[in-house]
Amino acid sequence: MSTTHHRLPPEVNRILYVRNLPFKVTSSEMYEIFGKYGSILQIRVGSSNDTRGTAFVVYEDIYDAKSAVDSLSGFNVGGRYIVVLYYQPKKNVSRLGMEEKKMQIEELKKEV
């Protein structure tokens, strides 16, 4: 296998966002699945009602993260096909901003 690295697209980063996980998935199961692709710094599995079925996986190396995304998106975990994406904080911030603006508009409509 060649160790030559090509230029990566801008959305590629070391932090992965995983969706559609079984609610009972454990951190050790996540390490077992994702650890095959490289050294992991941290895994956070969602535990609240809002975050169950999701997780963040942080790799030490960006190329390991890319390898995990390429291999694991659509992988069957506990009867569910997981979705593995690169974490995009700007998208989450803008989505939250839009929700807040919608709420402000609704409040203004009530005042009129």
Side-chain angles (χ1 to χ4, degrees), residues 17-48:
Y17 176 61
V18 186
R19 294 189 328 214
N20 204 37
L21 286 163
F23 289 166
K24 295 187 187 287
V25 72
T26 64
S27 290
S28 59
E29 290 170 323
M30 292 292 290
Y31 274 102
E32 192 176 314
I33 295 164
F34 285 85
K36 294 174 183 171
Y37 298 93
S39 183
I40 294 173
L41 294 176
Q42 183 180 41
I43 291 181
R44 292 279 183 141
V45 178
S47 57
S48 72

Side-chain angles (χ1 to χ4, degrees), residues 5 40 52 74 88:
H5 294 303
I40 294 173
R52 287 188 328 166
Q88 299 294 322

Side-chain angles (χ1 to χ4, degrees), residues 3 13 15 17 23 37-38 49 55 62 81 92 96-97 106:
T3 57
N13 66 61
I15 305 170
Y17 176 61
F23 289 166
Y37 298 93
N49 285 340
I62 193 167
Y81 295 99
N92 289 343
L96 289 173
E106 291 302 316

